[in-house]
Amino acid sequence: MSAHAARGADHPILSVRHLSKRFGRVQAVDDVSFDLFPGEVLGIVGESGSGKTTLLRAVAGQEAPDTGAVLYRDRWGGLVDLHALPEGRRRRLHRTDLGLVQQNPRDGLRMGVSAGANVGERLMALGHRHYGTIRQSAHDWLARVEVDPARLDDPPAQLSGGMQQRLQIARNLVSEPRLVFMDEPTGGLDVSVQARLLDLLRGLVGELGLAVVLVTHDLGVARLLAHRLMVMQAGRVVETGLTDQVLDDPQAAYSQLLVSSILPV
Amino acid sequence: MSAHADSLAAAQTVEGYNFAYLDEQTKRMIRRSLLKAVAIPGYQVPFASREMPLPYGWGTGGIQVTASILGACDTLKVIDQGADDTTNAVNIRAFFARTAGVATTTRTEEASVIQTRHRIPETPLTDQQILVYQVPIPEPLRWLEPRERETRMLHALGEYGLMQVSLYEDIAQHGRIAKTYNYPVQVSGGYIMAPSPIPKFDNPKLHRNPALQLFGAGREKRIYAVPPYTDVRSLDFDDYPFDVEHWDTACALCGATDSYLDEIVTDDAGGRRYVCSDSDYCDRRRQAGDTGAAR
Amino acid sequence: MYVAVKGGAEAIANSLQLLAQTRRGDPQAADLGVAQIREQLGLAVDRVMAEGALYDRELAALALKQACGDVQEAVFLLRAYRTTLPRFGYARAVDTQAMAVRRRISATYKDLPGGQVLGPSFDYTQRLLDFQLLADGEAPAAPEDAEDPVAPTMPGVLQHLDRDGLIEPSPADDATETPADVTRAPVTYPAGRDTWLQMLARGDEGYLLALAYSTQRGYGNAHPFAGEIRLGEVAVGFVPEELGFEVEIAEVTLTECQMINQFQGSEAAPPQFTRGYGLTFGHNERKAMSMALVDRALRSRELGEQLVAPAQDQEFVLAHSDNVEASGFVQHLKLPHYVDFQSELVMLRELRRRFHESRYTREAAE
């Protein structure tokens, strides 16, 4: 699927405007703006310390920015500022329309309860009260992310790192979100495990028409998943464009450096 | 609640102390909290709990509530584990007999105020009665989220998915919901509430009870209430409905088969028998001629 | 027939009798007078007053006697008494700068106006058991007068830093709001510093000591200096409504500790020292210093520091600081729980039955 096709919809699902965030004397994110369209995967790349994770946390509503707005277009076409929403509505959006896949699955999973309960949590939060149905959904989602459904009642700690990450993805997708934030979703995994997980992610994103903001330092991952790339350095966006363009013909000096030094052959 | 005037009239029962121990200002403060609690069923109202001459965890919340609503004309019953003659119940009853000089009783239907720890009497209550619960941990979400700031937020937003997750997990691991006491309930379709450590056997009695039910947690400084005839639903799943304990045996003393039974170890060889936890209920049945032996 | 905890009234009466007997001990030994406790076990009295949140040496001594020397039980007795006392109003904030100092030390300056005043202290006692005390104690001789008498009042050490802007201004300087009263309004989180200082002042000494100790051992980020510790007497002023002017109603002994802590600075504030504050009834430096360290740790959020240690966790620290609450709840496990236990028994038996059934079915199938 080309980025252009994915941008079939007229209106962006997410508009970030003039976002800034400072920690002490460090300007972590400096006046960043971008749009994301339904079905589009936007990769944010840069070295560690470039501000990409802080940007994601601010965009995903986990950390309040100092200035700027994160505008989300809901299912009915209305624009809401994620940081201006009352707590209740913001939390509701986060368990319905939005998803967040963290680099360390332990941060995104409830380690004290079974895989099934992890997947079923969003459904129960939305008021589902039939154990059998919830369990069936969890079962189906485990199968869909290629985790053996026989592991349904196992706690996450008993699953491998790759499986934990799949479980985290299932836990997010069960509510059929429209927009998912991913922070180094394949980081910390073996190369072979990474490859299969990337395949799975690519398939799911396409099937479900998800819009994704993906943060990664791995340009290989960015090339596989992202339609468009944003290159960050010291809190600022230094280049943005279609993935192939940015990776094959980087314009900014910093992008050239990044591509030449890190991109695996 | 009995008239405020009553308590003033009978003031100074024990030298140096006000009627029912607490000063009138404190009682007014507690009554205001009680009114708020009744107005918002199941909501935990923070109140400025006082130090009481009983240790925290031993019923200081219940005692403060009882002291605040007690009038000179009230008749008080105090039970612990269902029984009137357990040491803690005796102690609290004696406390009010001394500081308020009110009539006390062990008969459920004679009491206008019943303070309880861990049980609801078997004898049905009426709309002329108030049941005061002693509550150790008022927060039903405490074991899922220890932080007060967060639990208050979850209540405010009605965000109760986490509680349901814990029930789900019980079924996944044990084949059934394994909570046996302090079984969480939802009051009037709104707040989720800890019914205090009553056995789940008693949960159905919370539902549409004609009596006013008041809950006091002294150490945690919270008061909450279930007004008369209010819906109280025990949390469950559609396909795993709430149920209560059953015994295969009857009370060894009165033969009751509908009451909560205590298990008594009778010898070193594993011998045991079962008797009613509600001592008044058991006594009344025996007086009426029922015996365990006859069954 | 089964009785166990039933028939409680008589059992309680007998238990009280036994307790009274135990308290008195061997009647051959002279009865301990409350005045003796007040005068000769003064630091125990101080601790009971501090955690009991009531300044009354006589009653604190009585509580200690009645509690057979159990400090926490004595604290509880004093609190239960305190709660019944009528309130006339709030005293004026005491002025510890105007303290009649008996002891004042600073670990940050070798010498300073007013000097180092050692006063009474265990610090240099060498901790050798004094077997002379086994015999009847003679009243010890008074020490020789120092060449320079202690100044009637002395300025606080931190003023010297304050003047140069090296330490943050004392937050109390700009406090205009009426402070919270944790005995009259329930604490809600997040709590303000006025609230937590009150709770720490009433808090259990051992608990605060352990928390303070943890901040020094790397659980938290404390680099403290004992800027000043002072002990002495302070006048308590009160403005009766009908008079409209301040009258002195009491003199209390207080121990105050001003801790100085490093601070890295932020975008808004230059690097400077920050304060941790401890104040306690009576003479108790361990408590005052612990309180000051914990106070500083609790200020981490306000100062934008990383929250990583237990002592920085406000809800954790404050919710568990009161030993009357803690002791009651831990010991309530002595109360009968057999109704709940019975519920668990019923459930456990059922779960075990299912377990064995399903295993039996599995084995039969194999």
Side-chain angles (χ1 to χ4, degrees), chain B residues 17 21-23 26 29 46-58 80-83 85-88 90-91 117-119 136-137 146-150 152 174-181 197-200 219 221-222 245-247 253 260-265 272-277 279, chain C residues 1-3 5-12 51-52 76 79-87 181-190 202 301 313-316 319 322-351 353-354:
Chain B
Y17 288 99
Y21 183 78
L22 291 176
D23 60 282
T26 297
M29 176 272 294
F47 82 110
S49 175
R50 299 292 195 250
E51 263 109 4
M52 298 299 286
L54 263 82
Y56 283 113
W58 297 55
D80 186 347
Q81 313 292 303
D85 52 0
T86 44
T87 43
N88 194 44
V90 168
N91 198 26
R117 175 170 174 266
H118 295 194
R119 277 309 311 274
I137 305 269
R147 249 149 254 286
E148 183 79 25
R149 283 170 81 171
E150 180 65 12
R152 284 181 77 80
H174 306 298
R176 59 194 297 171
I177 297 172
K179 290 169 184 43
T180 57
Y181 59 92
I198 57 172
K200 65 178 181 173
R219 191 179 41 79
K221 302 172 180 61
R222 296 290 184 273
E245 295 92 339
H246 297 286
W247 286 263
L253 299 178
Y260 190 87
L261 298 179
D262 282 338
E263 180 173 331
I264 313 296
V265 178
R272 49 175 62 90
R273 58 199 300 199
Y274 292 86
V275 298
C276 289
S277 132
S279 54
Chain C
M1 191 47 231
Y2 168 73
V3 277
V5 287
K6 308 208 172 187
E10 211 174 318
I12 290 175
E51 289 166 31
F76 185 12
R79 289 268 193 97
Y81 173 75
R82 175 193 196 280
T83 195
T84 65
L85 298 176
R87 294 281 178 111
D181 181 348
V182 298
T183 67
R184 280 295 178 268
V187 173
T188 51
Y189 298 103
R202 292 156 56 98
R301 180 182 293 277
D313 186 330
Q314 190 190 82
E315 275 203 42
F316 179 84
D322 191 296
N323 62 24
V324 179
E325 289 176 7
S327 166
F329 199 51
V330 166
Q331 297 201 59
H332 106 285
L333 293 173
K334 291 185 284 194
L335 287 179
H337 282 80
Y338 45 76
V339 165
D340 302 345
F341 188 69
Q342 180 63 30
S343 279
E344 292 284 88
L345 272 181
V346 170
M347 174 64 69
L348 194 61
R349 286 197 178 114
E350 171 65 16
L351 293 177
R353 190 183 61 74
R354 285 184 178 220

Side-chain angles (χ1 to χ4, degrees), chain A residues 196-218:
Chain A
R196 285 186 50 203
L197 187 62
L198 281 173
D199 259 6
L200 173 76
L201 271 178
R202 198 149 77 139
L204 285 172
V205 168
E207 279 168 44
L208 302 169
L210 290 176
V212 177
V213 180
L214 165 77
V215 158
T216 180
H217 71 280
D218 185 337

Side-chain angles (χ1 to χ4, degrees), chain C residues 225-243:
Chain C
F225 298 95
E228 180 179 49
I229 295 160
R230 51 167 63 197
L231 158 73
E233 279 63 45
V234 172
V236 179
F238 181 69
V239 182
E241 253 177 66
E242 54 273 42
L243 289 184

